[in-house]
Amino acid sequence: MKKSKINLEQANELLNLLGVAAAVVDNTDENPADTEVDVQGLIKGIKEPNEDFIREKLRADIEDKIKTQNTGKWINSLRSKVAQTFGIKTASLADLSLEEILAMAKDSTKGNVDKAQQDWLNDREALINGHDSEIEKLRGDYERQLRDAHQQYVRRDMRDRFISVLNNMPRTGGDLNAQAEALLAAAERQFTMKYDEEKGRVGLFTKGEEPAPVFKGKKILSDEDFAEEFAEQMGWKRIDNRGIPPQKSMQAPEKPFGTAAPSRMNIPDNLPEHARRTLERLNSEIEVEE
């Protein structure tokens, strides 16, 4: 173990701290040392070391020395560094003690940390809001696609229903699919349509904010009624003249309710392209018959 070299003053200070009733002298004629000293007795008289006392004593001595030597210069340097580091005015630190300076620096640090934390939270919140907007947009896109896909399937089912209705009536011939498409386009132009999946029928309602059933006299107009009227107007339905007297067979047959001779149809601008092509082809067929 390395031995520490201490002077006379330090040795006496050490003995005093240990509680030894002895003093170290320079052993001169003016200050001679005792010739007989009970060293073992002195050792036995050493008290248990009081660490807290020693620590406080040393701390007090050190603080006194610092204050008497370079305290002012050191604290002024510390003030300058604290002001520079934490953005505090140097003048506000002039009359503060060391503890107060450190406390102010701690408060400034806490404020900077709080601001950094709040900025981080604001950034995260903005990021989350941005993600929420993206998710909401994607949800809207998917819902719109689902609605469009559902509408396509519903329209396909209504078209199949009209194919079935036309196929069950006596027809003069022609492209059944094209006729069903034209029938569906005409119904879309005149009515608000709702498909009853359970019954497999097309419901016809008035257009507007509050659709209502369409009546034919006292009876609700069914999809079969509309298909039959439209087929007769277009000349697709074959009229059975058997059993009609010859003189009457030469006359034009009586038209059921809501029917008229086949004529060219006006094609609205808002029709789907495939429906427009079908109606244009049917108009061409009517022109040839005329």
Side-chain angles (χ1 to χ4, degrees):
M1 181 179 64
K2 182 179 178 180
K3 294 183 179 180
S4 299
K5 297 179 180 180
I6 60 177
N7 58 29
L8 185 62
E9 181 183 353
Q10 292 171 333
N12 283 321
E13 183 179 357
L14 178 59
L15 291 175
N16 184 43
L17 292 174
L18 294 175
V20 178
V24 180
V25 298
D26 53 9
N27 198 23
T28 60
D29 292 339
E30 293 79 10
N31 191 18
D34 296 335
T35 56
E36 294 183 4
V37 177
D38 185 3
V39 177
Q40 294 297 325
L42 292 176
I43 293 174
K44 291 179 181 179
I46 295 176
K47 299 178 181 179
E48 290 293 329
N50 188 333
E51 294 183 1
D52 292 338
F53 172 77
I54 294 173
R55 185 180 298 107
E56 290 299 324
K57 182 67 171 61
L58 291 175
R59 179 181 178 182
D61 292 344
I62 291 172
E63 288 181 353
D64 289 341
K65 289 180 180 179
I66 291 175
K67 289 179 181 179
T68 56
Q69 292 176 1
N70 208 17
T71 301
K73 181 179 178 181
W74 184 82
I75 292 181
N76 287 337
S77 177
L78 177 62
R79 287 193 183 100
S80 177
K81 292 296 184 183
V82 169
Q84 181 181 357
T85 303
F86 298 103
I88 304 172
K89 293 183 179 180
T90 306
S92 63
L93 305 176
D95 299 328
L96 300 181
S97 65
L98 176 61
E99 289 78 7
E100 291 171 333
I101 292 174
L102 294 177
M104 180 175 289
K106 179 180 179 181
D107 292 340
S108 178
T109 302
K110 184 177 184 300
N112 292 335
V113 171
D114 291 343
K115 181 179 182 304
Q117 184 178 16
Q118 187 61 46
D119 291 343
W120 183 86
L121 291 175
N122 292 340
D123 290 342
R124 299 287 82 72
E125 184 176 0
L127 186 62
I128 291 172
N129 290 337
H131 286 169
D132 289 343
S133 299
E134 289 293 330
I135 292 173
E136 193 62 30
K137 182 179 181 300
L138 289 174
R139 181 184 293 113
D141 292 342
Y142 286 136
E143 288 178 353
R144 183 171 59 256
Q145 292 174 9
L146 287 174
R147 288 194 301 269
D148 293 345
H150 177 71
Q151 186 60 31
Q152 289 178 2
Y153 284 119
V154 169
R155 194 177 190 282
R156 180 203 62 186
D157 292 340
M158 290 190 294
R159 180 175 176 275
D160 291 344
R161 165 62 178 168
F162 282 138
I163 289 176
S164 176
V165 172
L166 291 173
N167 194 42
N168 288 333
M169 69 174 62
R171 297 170 49 249
T172 58
D175 188 336
L176 182 61
N177 291 323
Q179 292 173 357
E181 185 66 41
L183 176 59
L184 178 58
E188 288 175 335
R189 187 169 63 252
Q190 297 183 46
F191 308 108
T192 295
M193 298 191 299
K194 299 180 181 179
Y195 184 69
D196 188 337
E197 296 183 1
E198 183 177 352
K199 296 180 180 180
R201 294 178 178 273
V202 179
L204 305 176
F205 300 85
T206 59
K207 288 184 174 294
E209 295 182 357
E210 298 181 358
V214 178
F215 283 85
K216 178 182 178 181
K218 295 183 179 180
K219 176 187 174 185
I220 293 178
L221 181 67
S222 67
D223 54 357
E224 292 177 333
D225 295 333
F226 176 74
E228 185 173 359
E229 290 182 7
F230 188 78
E232 290 179 357
Q233 292 176 12
M234 300 299 296
W236 300 340
K237 184 177 180 182
R238 186 174 63 252
I239 304 300
D240 188 0
N241 291 326
R242 291 177 299 178
I244 299 177
Q247 64 274 17
K248 290 188 179 182
S249 63
M250 300 299 294
Q251 300 176 0
E254 296 182 359
K255 301 292 183 181
F257 174 81
T259 60
S263 60
R264 283 179 55 81
M265 294 176 291
N266 293 326
I267 304 175
D269 295 334
N270 58 352
L271 276 182
E273 185 62 26
H274 59 279
R276 176 184 297 278
R277 290 197 301 268
T278 300
L279 292 178
E280 289 175 348
R281 187 177 64 183
L282 292 173
N283 279 340
S284 300
E285 293 178 358
I286 292 173
E287 289 178 355
V288 172
E289 291 178 0
E290 292 176 351

